[in-house]
Amino acid sequence: MNNTTARALILVLLAALMIVTRSHLLYHFAPVPDASWAVFFIAGFYLRGWSRWAFPLFMALAVATDYVAISGQGLNFWAHYCMSPAYWFLIPAYGALWLGGNLVRRGYRKADGHALATLVVSLLASVAVCHLLSQGSFYWLSDSWIGDSGRVPTVAGWWQNYADWFLPYLRTTAIYTGLAVIAHVGVQQIARLARPQDRTAH
């Protein structure tokens, strides 16, 4: 399998993972958490050379999935509580995750301790920035927190909300990313073991 084919396969798998988990299709069977944050981070690593068109593609896919999921419940997508000015902050928020994956790829040579340390630091930083943009914009700009709700947003309230949700989002993103790391190392090991057999066959 050449590099382009492998990238295309990864793109399709990540897109499918986001659609299935973001739309909560699996909730009929089990409460599987949304993999969107991990998808953008992992895609940033594997699709670094395709970022100019792959990132907009994944953003469009995320919005389309939200539209189908909300409309499928008989709700008006544009009147939904998620659809406030805060929703558009998902572009830079998810961009931070994509950039985090890009940065890991930029310095990646092989799966070793240095690569793992870079991954951990980049994941923590990009999730923190993504959460800051997505949660912060929702807290300060969404009608769920201001206007008809009667709630008055405060810095203390924002920080409490940020802290309450940071670890759950980090945990979910880390679990999916960890599974991707295991798969990555496993495929590399299988490819390494297959090489001597190829030589013997020739």
Side-chain angles (χ1 to χ4, degrees), residues 153-202:
T154 64
V155 173
W158 160 75
W159 174 250
Q160 183 63 53
N161 186 264
Y162 181 92
D164 287 345
W165 287 101
F166 177 71
L167 286 180
Y169 277 109
L170 176 62
R171 181 172 58 246
T172 297
T173 307
I175 289 172
Y176 281 116
T177 303
L179 292 174
V181 169
I182 292 171
H184 179 92
V185 173
V187 169
Q188 283 194 331
Q189 290 298 324
I190 292 171
R192 190 173 295 123
L193 291 172
R195 287 186 197 118
Q197 295 176 1
D198 290 341
R199 295 193 193 101
T200 302
H202 293 298

Side-chain angles (χ1 to χ4, degrees), residues 45 104 107-116 184-185 188 192:
F45 178 86
V104 176
Y108 181 78
R109 296 293 178 272
K110 61 179 180 177
D112 56 12
H114 180 267
L116 181 61
H184 179 92
V185 173
Q188 283 194 331
R192 190 173 295 123

Side-chain angles (χ1 to χ4, degrees), residues 36-51:
S36 296
W37 289 27
V39 164
F40 276 90
F41 184 85
I42 296 166
F45 178 86
Y46 286 109
L47 308 178
R48 181 171 174 241
W50 292 356
S51 292

Side-chain angles (χ1 to χ4, degrees), residues 51-107:
S51 292
R52 287 186 179 181
W53 62 267
F55 177 73
L57 174 66
F58 274 85
M59 280 304 313
L61 184 61
V63 175
T65 303
D66 289 345
Y67 179 84
V68 172
I70 293 171
S71 299
Q73 300 175 50
L75 302 174
N76 185 331
F77 178 69
W78 300 107
H80 195 266
Y81 75 93
C82 286
M83 291 307 300
S84 71
Y87 187 80
W88 305 109
F89 276 78
L90 290 182
I91 297 174
Y94 289 168
L97 292 166
W98 193 283
L99 178 60
N102 271 196
L103 293 175
V104 176
R105 183 66 181 186
R106 186 174 300 173

